[in-house]
Structures are given as structure tokens and as C-alpha cells.
Amino acid sequence: MRKYKKKQIQNSLDKILHAQKLVMQFLLTGSAEEARNLLTGCQEAVIAAGNAIEETEAGTAPGDAVIGRIEAYCELVYELWQKAGELSAASGKRHALREGTVLSGQAGIRLKEACDKLQELDQAIHDIKEHIQTNLPERLEIAFLPYKASMWDCLESVWEAAAADPDCDAYVVPIPYLDRGPDDTFTDIHCEADKFPKNVPVVSWQEYDIAARHPDVIYIHNPYDNVNNVTSVHPSFYAKELKKHTDMLVYIPYFVCTNDHIEDHFCVLPGTIFADRVIVQSETVRQAYIEAYHKFEKENHIEGHVGNAEEKFVALGSPKYDKVLKTTRENVEIPDDWRRKITNSDGSFKKVILYNTTVTQILEHREKVLEKIRSVFDLLQKRDDVVLLWRPHPLSLTTCRSVSAQLSEEYRALTEEYRAQDWGIYDDTADLHRAIALSDAYYGDMSSVVELYRMTGKPIMIEDVELV
């Protein structure tokens, strides 16, 4: 049974116990009809709980046992409901027992029998609660909500563990995102569900009703919500909204920190504020998050209102490292066109340079970035022993568009020219790790890719955009 559903049922049973205390008060004050009405409500509530249990546990020994207890409870309710009716008929009218008043005769006997029966009801509910807690196995439902297929690596190893757990139901639900125009308005909407690895079963975001399903855990990798000037996940999937529909919202950064350094502003984004847990790559990074978080709390006078930083930030490593270490040239699928370009006539491989360009450089240097890229193309196009594998950031064109229409058109033209000449590889796929595994060296901008590439032990050179 779902852990969340089990918790709901236990809460409902607690409410029944409270209602039964009110039944006792009604009986002692002569309000037998009110007691009968409340008993009817208790029976309906416990039947609803039984129906919820039957949905998943019918036919199992623990499930059938608790259903039997619920049926026995309903019989007790009916017996007490009848006795309350006898009390009502005997009195003929509502009466109140004042302090020191003692009922005698048949009315007193019936009241004592009703109170004894009510004690049986209380014990029955406690018995049902104990059996549910002890004998009904719990299943976790975990929803992974990536938005960029190229960033799936930051969640993949966690999903693999969840999918392999027999007591867990793991769902991968790629969520839509929108581009932002220069005036900060939303423009095009995208969903990359078709770009995920073939071994990852994805579920449509339109079919997975988060509010109704209330997954026990939700994992996200986008921390920005509405504070990203280039893109935004659909507002329905902002961290603030997701927090309403889960007991545990977990944010894992889509990037890794170079040399364990993290800028303060990354530590206090909506994703970190509303998440219950933030998984970071090392204890050094964790301490940086905690310090930045405490500073943010103090500056905004919200100490204690956005979670305990020491509990929120957890150093468990990054799944992105897991992906780098397990991906090799031997176990990746190489497209025929790529293989033709990187293979010599004798079957040996040419040297492959991974050229990585980022959106940060576009925002900071604008047209200068395009000049730099052209100069790299001019140099490498002349080499027969080296192949350039250009992997621009997937939001490069969108970022250019957010800067100016002219820069967007120039970038588009440069990209089309490179692809048309067909001397190098253009990698716009979601699989960063294939590019890392196939390449012999890294050249390009400083980014989290550099930190991942460092794990391979292969050469790294950072480009100077100003040097053309």
C-alpha cells in the first residue's frame, strides 16, 4: 500500500476516535439522535478506509485480515446505533445529566450498555490502526521531474536505484518548459519526453496527476522557477507548487561545482528554499550552501521559516559523477556518421576534441563569442588527424534570441554552415556522456562539464574568448 495512502487512512481512523468521544458526550447528555448521526458518519469513514485498502491489498492475508476487522467494527457500530435508538425512545425527549444525577432503571442499564459498547469500538479502532501499521507493507511512489533530457544524468543513478527497489514505484515524468522573450514573456513551449534514453520509461506530464497521486518523494533538477531569464519550467511545476503535493521534495543540482566552489546565489534559489532536501556533491559544498542559506535567512528576516539548513543540505555526491565513470567508448552507441568521421582507413580512431561552448559566454561577450567559434572552426577544419566534436549548450540559440534578434540570426547561420560543411561533428543530443567518452581531450568554456571531464583524466584546455 502507498505510504501516503496508509498515512491518510491512519489520520482518518484518528478522526473516528475523536468522533467516538463526542458520541460518549452525546449519550451522557441525552442527545441520543446526535450520537446516532455521528455513529453513521464513523461507519461511512471506516468503510471508505476499507475500500481504499481493498484497492491494493484485496486477496492478501494482511489485507483480508484488516477488512475482517473493519467488518466487525461496523457490526459493533450498528449494535451501538440500536442501543442509542432505545435510549432515545425511552427518554421520549432530550435530557441533560447534571452533576450528581444518576440514571436508574432501564434507562441507566441501557446507558451503561451503550458506554461499554463504545469502549469496544475504541478498542476496535486501535486494533485496526495497529494491524495496518504493523502488517500492511508500504510502497513508496517517487516521481522524477526532469525538464531537459541532457540534464537527466543528474537524476539517473537515483532513478536506477529506485526502479530496482521492489518496494518502490518510480515514475519519470518529463515536464514542459517555456522560452522567455526579450520582454520576459513566455514564448514557445517544449517537452523533451522523446529524447530520453530508450531504457527510461517516461510518463506524460498530462497523464500523471501530481495533485491526485501525491507522490511520497519528488526529485527535481531545476531550481529557478520564475527567476531564469532564458527559460522557465511550466509554472505548475514550480518548486513552491510541487511542495504542496509531496511529503519530500528533493532537489539535485543539474551541475557540479568546479573545485568544490559554489556561488552564493545558487544556494538560495526557489528550488533550494522550498525543497526538503538538497543533495550536494561534497561536504565542502554543503557547508557553502549552509553559510549562504543562513545569510539569506538573516538578510530577509526569515530565520526558521524556510527549513533547517543543517538538515536540508546533504552531502551524498552527484549522480553526474556516477554517469561519467560508467560510460566508456566501448559501451556507447556511435552513430554511423560520427564513426565515419572519427575512424581512419585502417580502423583506428582519430583524435577527437570535445568543443564545449556555454550560454554564460554568450551573455557576457555576445558577438565576440561567434568570432571565437569561427576561429576554432578555421583551425581544426585544416586537420586530417583531428576531429572536432562541437557540443553547444542546448539553450544557446534561445539565449542569443533573448539578447537580440541579430545575434540569434548570426548564431543560427554559423550553426547551419558548420553542419552543412560536414567536416566535424555537431552534437545536439541529450547524451553528454557519449561525447565525453568518445573524445580524447576537452577544449572550450569553463563550466560544470570541465569538472566532469576531470574525472576521466584526459587533457583539458579552457578557451579565451577574447583571444581570436
Side-chain angles (χ1 to χ4, degrees):
M1 163 168 280
R2 281 282 313 282
K3 180 179 179 181
Y4 170 68
K5 184 62 68 174
K6 193 172 177 179
K7 182 178 178 181
Q8 277 190 320
I9 291 172
Q10 296 284 37
N11 288 341
S12 178
L13 295 176
D14 286 336
K15 292 178 181 178
I16 291 174
L17 284 172
H18 177 70
Q20 289 175 177
K21 289 183 173 60
L22 296 179
V23 170
M24 175 69 80
Q25 293 179 19
F26 284 140
L27 291 176
L28 292 175
T29 56
S31 304
E33 284 305 310
E34 284 83 349
R36 282 159 61 92
N37 291 336
L38 197 51
L39 284 169
T40 300
C42 290
Q43 183 168 6
E44 291 173 349
V46 81
I47 288 174
N51 290 338
I53 292 170
E54 280 191 317
E55 288 179 5
T56 58
E57 306 301 322
T60 68
D64 291 345
V66 74
I67 294 301
R69 285 167 167 78
I70 288 175
E71 291 173 347
Y73 171 85
C74 290
E75 292 176 6
L76 289 173
V77 169
Y78 179 67
E79 292 174 10
L80 179 56
W81 187 84
Q82 284 186 312
K83 290 186 178 300
E86 293 171 0
L87 277 172
S88 178
S91 64
K93 63 180 180 178
R94 293 184 60 184
H95 60 84
L97 291 180
R98 294 179 173 83
E99 186 175 356
T101 302
V102 178
L103 285 180
S104 60
Q106 285 298 110
I109 294 173
R110 289 192 180 98
L111 179 60
K112 183 179 184 307
E113 290 175 344
C115 291
D116 290 344
K117 189 66 67 176
L118 195 54
Q119 289 182 345
E120 291 184 52
L121 283 179
D122 283 351
Q123 183 56 48
I125 290 297
H126 284 297
D127 185 41
I128 292 170
K129 280 172 57 68
E130 176 65 22
H131 193 83
I132 290 174
Q133 183 62 35
T134 305
N135 298 310
L136 291 190
E138 289 184 356
R139 293 190 64 80
L140 282 177
E141 181 163 320
I142 303 179
F144 294 84
L145 306 184
Y147 83 108
K148 293 292 292 181
S150 60
M151 298 175 183
W152 171 240
D153 61 335
C154 70
L155 299 177
E156 185 175 55
S157 62
V158 181
W159 167 75
E160 288 173 342
D165 187 338
D167 297 321
C168 178
D169 297 312
Y171 296 88
V172 179
V173 188
I175 59 177
Y177 65 95
L178 305 102
D179 297 332
R180 286 186 183 274
D183 58 353
D184 204 36
T185 58
F186 292 139
T187 55
D188 300 329
I189 185 170
H190 313 273
C191 183
E192 299 189 358
D194 60 336
K195 297 182 179 180
F196 281 73
K198 296 178 182 178
N199 68 316
V200 180
V202 300
V203 179
S204 169
W205 65 276
Q206 295 169 308
E207 296 177 3
Y208 188 88
D209 189 335
I210 291 179
R213 299 185 70 97
H214 195 96
D216 301 289
V217 186
I218 293 177
Y219 281 91
I220 60 173
H221 66 72
N222 170 59
Y224 297 105
D225 287 1
N226 63 328
V227 300
N228 189 328
N229 295 326
V230 178
T231 61
S232 168
V233 297
H234 192 287
S236 298
F237 299 98
Y238 284 172
K240 183 178 181 179
E241 294 302 312
L242 295 176
K243 181 60 186 147
K244 301 174 183 177
H245 307 304
T246 185
D247 296 328
M248 179 63 65
L249 180 62
V250 183
Y251 162 58
I252 300 181
Y254 64 90
F255 56 88
V256 290
C257 306
T258 303
N259 298 323
D260 276 349
H261 174 73
I262 180 77
E263 298 289 343
D264 283 359
H265 69 274
F266 284 114
C267 305
V268 290
L269 293 166
T272 59
I273 293 171
F274 291 105
D276 297 290
R277 294 292 184 272
V278 177
I279 309 301
V280 299
Q281 69 192 58
S282 69
E283 182 60 31
T284 300
V285 174
R286 174 178 177 267
Q287 290 301 324
Y289 268 93
I290 291 173
E291 290 176 12
Y293 205 75
H294 284 320
K295 180 181 177 182
F296 173 79
E297 288 180 305
K298 186 175 181 179
E299 290 175 347
N300 292 276
H301 308 292
I302 54 173
E303 292 93 337
H305 293 286
V306 287
N308 184 314
E310 281 71 18
E311 292 181 358
K312 181 190 291 279
F313 300 103
V314 185
L316 296 178
S318 172
K320 296 175 77 70
Y321 290 133
D322 300 336
K323 183 69 172 180
V324 169
L325 294 174
K326 76 177 184 180
T327 306
T328 66
R329 180 176 286 184
E330 290 70 32
N331 64 20
V332 296
E333 182 178 338
I334 306 176
D336 292 340
D337 179 56
W338 291 23
R339 187 177 294 275
R340 173 179 59 82
K341 292 174 182 175
I342 67 176
T343 307
N344 291 306
S345 57
D346 62 358
S348 62
F349 286 105
K350 299 178 181 180
K351 296 297 182 183
V352 179
I353 306 298
L354 170 57
Y355 183 37
N356 177 55
T357 55
T358 66
V359 296
T360 301
Q361 297 288 29
I362 293 173
L363 292 170
E364 293 181 358
H365 297 280
R366 302 193 175 203
E367 291 80 5
K368 194 72 174 179
V369 169
L370 303 189
E371 293 182 39
K372 181 63 179 183
I373 295 174
R374 288 192 186 94
S375 70
V376 173
F377 290 172
D378 290 342
L379 176 64
L380 273 297
Q381 188 175 5
K382 302 172 184 177
R383 299 288 297 267
D384 293 328
D385 59 334
V386 177
V387 176
L388 185 70
L389 193 162
W390 181 30
R391 186 177 172 84
H393 190 284
L395 296 177
S396 294
L397 181 59
T398 303
T399 304
C400 288
R401 190 181 297 121
S402 71
V403 173
S404 72
Q406 179 180 347
L407 184 61
S408 173
E409 286 305 310
E410 290 180 1
Y411 180 85
R412 186 193 302 275
L414 178 63
T415 303
E416 291 177 353
E417 179 184 348
Y418 175 77
R419 302 185 71 170
Q421 290 178 347
D422 198 34
W423 56 268
I425 297 172
Y426 180 78
D427 185 8
D428 60 351
T429 69
D431 194 352
L432 163 65
H433 297 277
R434 175 175 57 183
I436 292 177
L438 285 179
S439 60
D440 298 284
Y442 175 97
Y443 178 70
D445 299 332
M446 177 59 73
S447 75
S448 61
V449 178
V450 174
E451 181 66 20
L452 294 176
Y453 209 88
R454 199 189 309 276
M455 300 290 292
T456 69
K458 294 183 284 192
I460 297 171
M461 179 178 289
I462 306 303
E463 72 174 354
D464 184 350
V465 174
E466 296 293 337
L467 184 62
V468 178

